């Protein structure tokens, strides 16, 4: 079986899966839209192409390059394997696969149902692609539920657990002493700081926590265009026990998970100026935090919540965009050490069961075999 993989960007948590696919199948080429992030290298024995450059603001050049690559390499593959069924990348790959009589497999994680007019148009294209794909790979149960509601054939839907690298066994030290919070109960936010991630809601909730508990501390890791507004909000609320850490590299995140007592991902459903909606389709930071045995607080706008967080068991799922609910969940965990410890242990157990690269690979492997044998 000869496979052409078209993917947005190589990340460290995808290296193992792509290498296993390369070892089992003939991967004619990897086509990435973006170069890998700093600190990640594409293996030298991979055949690959990177399409996007900074001067391609309108996105016309990379689309032309993608079309050229697919046509130029058409004799080298039997299956096009791509992701994000709502993207123009997938529409191009799907159309050319049909024209060239190739198999088409898509991998997606979208599950939100709030539709703007633009989203409805894109959704109609996505539905057509899903129904006419040779097989479909989904991240989690919410995506599968949406596809079934959309009328996608159940037999061609395959689940591939999204996995992260487990750094917990190699990280032994925390930073409490270094940043002078050794006697604090530490809450960690670690993600991009953009509006739909809901950091402003967490800051408002933490203000309520700080009024009730003088030993709570909020650590904020990440950067983004919403950071300054969040800093201004914390100043206006006169929050004392709080620290913005700035951008943290993937190689450093483990020490911050090791430093905290509870992890929070407070993402919200956000209507954008264009009329589209943003939300947390998955949230791999939840996988990472659970690998360190942490209780989790997240919202109903986070895809991972429905597969990894059992409300009241290893954390809490609260209503998105609701500081009061978030505050109550934080107080429950921070004020009960025994409960927090048990929740953390349960998180680790769920992580070990779910975050299995064999299961992840098998889902993709089954989908590729199904597509070829249709």
């Amino acid at each position: 079986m000869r496979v052409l993989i078209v993917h947005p960007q190589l990340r460290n948590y995808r290296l193992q899966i792509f290498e296993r696919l390369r070892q089992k199948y003939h991967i004619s080429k990897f086509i990435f839209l973006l170069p890998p992030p700093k600190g990640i290298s594409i293996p030298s024995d991979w055949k690959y192409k990177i399409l996007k450059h900074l001067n391609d603001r309108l996105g016309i050049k990379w689309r032309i390059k993608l079309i050229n690559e697919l046509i130029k390499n058409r004799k080298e593959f039997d299956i096009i394997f791509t992701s994000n069924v709502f993207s123009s990348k997938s529409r191009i790959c799907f159309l050319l696969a049909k024209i060239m009589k190739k198999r088409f497999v898509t991998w997606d994680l979208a599950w939100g149902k709030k539709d703007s007019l633009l989203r409805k148009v894109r959704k109609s294209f996505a539905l057509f692609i899903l129904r006419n794909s040779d097989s479909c790979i989904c991240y989690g149960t919410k995506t599968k539920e949406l596809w079934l509601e959309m009328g996608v054939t159940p037999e061609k839907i395959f689940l591939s657990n999204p996995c992260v690298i487990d750094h917990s066994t190699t990280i032994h030290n925390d930073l409490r002493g270094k940043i002078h919070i050794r006697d604090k109960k530490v809450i960690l936010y670690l993600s991009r700081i953009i509006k739909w991630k809901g950091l402003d809601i967490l800051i408002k909730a933490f203000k309520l926590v700080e009024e009730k508990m003088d030993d709570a501390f909020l650590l904020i890791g990440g950067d983004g265009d919403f950071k300054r507004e969040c800093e201004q909000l914390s100043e206006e609320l006169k929050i004392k026990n709080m620290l913005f850490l700035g951008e943290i590299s993937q190689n450093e995140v483990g020490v911050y998970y090791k430093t905290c007592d509870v992890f929070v991902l407070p993402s919200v459903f956000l209507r954008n100026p264009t009329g589209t909606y943003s939300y947390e389709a998955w949230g791999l930071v939840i996988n990472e935090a659970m690998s360190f045995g942490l209780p989790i607080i997240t919202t109903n706008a986070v895809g991972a919540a429905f597969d990894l967080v059992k409300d009241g068991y290893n954390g809490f799922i609260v209503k998105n965009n609701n500081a009061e609910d978030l505050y109550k969940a934080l107080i429950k965990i921070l004020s009960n050490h025994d409960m927090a410890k048990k929740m953390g242990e349960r998180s680790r157990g769920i992580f070990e069961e779910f975050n299995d690269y064999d299961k992840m690979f098998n889902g993709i492997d089954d989908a590729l075999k199904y597509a070829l044998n249709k």
Side-chain angles (χ1 to χ4, degrees):
M1 186 190 303
R2 301 174 304 168
V3 182
L4 178 74
I5 296 179
V6 184
H7 203 69
Q9 186 182 42
L10 179 65
R11 298 290 185 124
N12 66 341
Y13 50 81
R14 290 286 177 269
L15 271 167
Q16 182 182 149
I17 285 297
F18 285 155
E19 180 58 27
R20 287 184 66 173
L21 287 170
R22 203 179 70 86
Q23 290 174 9
K24 180 163 185 177
Y25 299 106
H26 172 72
I27 305 298
S28 58
K29 183 178 279 189
F30 292 92
I31 298 177
F32 299 110
L33 301 192
L34 294 169
K38 185 178 179 181
I40 306 298
S41 299
I42 300 176
S44 59
D45 54 349
W46 288 14
K47 187 177 180 181
Y48 68 91
K49 180 83 171 183
I50 296 173
L51 302 182
K52 277 191 177 182
H53 297 282
L54 293 177
N55 60 353
D56 188 14
R57 293 182 180 180
L58 297 177
I60 296 173
K61 293 180 181 179
W62 75 260
R63 288 175 172 85
I64 294 173
K65 288 179 182 178
L66 176 58
I67 293 170
N68 287 337
E69 284 292 320
L70 294 175
I71 294 174
K72 182 176 68 176
N73 294 281
R74 64 188 181 278
K75 294 182 179 180
E76 303 297 322
F77 61 86
D78 306 299
I79 294 178
I80 298 177
F81 174 32
T82 188
S83 60
N84 189 357
V85 72
F86 286 89
S87 68
S88 58
K89 165 181 60 66
S90 286
R91 292 191 286 271
I92 291 170
C93 289
F94 174 79
L95 178 61
L96 287 179
K98 293 302 177 182
I99 291 173
M100 296 186 294
K101 301 187 184 305
K102 306 292 185 179
R103 305 292 187 180
F104 180 83
V105 176
T106 187
W107 187 10
D108 206 70
L109 68 165
W111 56 272
K113 298 181 182 179
K114 291 187 176 183
D115 293 332
S116 63
L117 178 60
L118 176 60
R119 178 76 172 178
K120 287 178 180 178
V121 173
R122 293 175 65 197
K123 193 171 183 177
S124 65
F125 282 112
L127 176 56
F128 182 80
I129 292 173
L130 286 167
R131 287 179 174 174
N132 292 280
S133 296
D134 294 289
S135 62
C136 310
I137 305 166
C138 62
Y139 255 43
T141 56
K142 293 298 286 185
T143 303
K144 185 174 182 178
E145 287 173 8
L146 176 63
W147 288 358
L148 291 173
E149 289 178 16
M150 292 168 68
V152 181
T153 305
E155 290 76 16
K156 71 176 186 180
I157 299 176
F158 297 85
L159 181 65
S160 178
N161 292 2
C163 296
V164 297
I165 299 169
D166 183 3
H167 294 293
S168 64
T169 57
T170 59
I171 303 295
H172 304 290
N173 300 320
D174 64 35
L175 299 174
R176 291 175 190 260
K178 184 177 180 180
I179 56 181
H180 310 294
I181 55 171
R182 195 178 297 279
D183 59 341
K184 302 291 186 181
K185 297 176 180 177
V186 182
I187 302 160
L188 177 66
Y189 170 95
L190 185 57
S191 192
R192 288 178 295 159
I193 303 180
I194 51 181
K195 194 165 186 179
W196 58 266
K197 292 283 187 175
L199 178 56
D200 55 330
I201 307 302
L202 174 56
I203 290 171
K204 292 174 184 177
F206 183 72
K207 174 61 178 177
L208 300 175
V209 171
E210 195 174 57
E211 290 174 351
K212 190 177 182 68
M213 303 177 65
D214 59 7
D215 60 346
F217 197 94
L218 176 59
L219 280 180
I220 297 171
D223 204 352
D225 58 18
F226 194 50
K227 182 180 178 182
R228 185 56 197 146
E229 290 183 52
C230 290
E231 289 174 332
Q232 289 174 343
L233 176 61
S234 64
E235 291 168 5
E236 291 168 5
L237 295 176
K238 298 181 180 179
I239 295 176
K240 299 176 182 178
N241 295 317
M242 179 179 179
L243 177 63
F244 283 86
L245 299 164
E247 188 67 32
I248 297 172
S249 73
Q250 190 62 42
N251 295 328
E252 297 175 318
V253 295
V255 294
Y256 292 97
Y257 290 122
K258 191 76 174 179
T259 298
C260 74
D261 297 288
V262 58
F263 180 79
V264 182
L265 183 61
S267 304
V268 302
F269 288 112
L270 179 69
R271 185 179 177 88
N272 301 310
T274 59
T276 58
Y277 283 88
S278 294
Y279 62 99
E280 195 77 56
W282 184 258
L284 287 169
V285 288
I286 288 183
N287 297 55
E288 291 178 344
M290 289 174 63
S291 75
F292 282 83
L294 291 170
I296 307 296
I297 299 176
T298 190
T299 75
N300 59 348
V302 177
F306 302 95
D307 289 270
L308 292 177
V309 183
K310 299 179 181 180
D311 193 51
Y313 182 76
N314 69 312
F316 295 104
I317 303 172
V318 301
K319 185 177 180 180
N320 81 95
N321 205 23
N322 191 312
E324 181 68 23
D325 281 0
L326 186 51
Y327 154 72
K328 290 177 181 177
L330 284 166
I331 287 295
K332 285 179 182 178
I333 291 178
L334 295 176
S335 61
N336 191 328
H337 174 75
D338 290 340
M339 182 181 74
K341 184 179 179 181
K342 288 180 181 178
M343 283 186 165
E345 291 170 351
R346 292 164 182 163
S347 278
R348 178 65 198 186
I350 294 170
F351 171 83
E352 290 175 356
E353 174 68 22
F354 184 90
N355 198 90
D356 185 330
Y357 272 99
D358 287 336
K359 291 180 180 178
M360 185 179 185
F361 176 80
N362 290 339
I364 297 171
D365 186 34
D366 289 344
L368 291 173
K369 289 187 290 190
Y370 180 88
L372 190 68
N373 295 324
K374 277 192 68 178

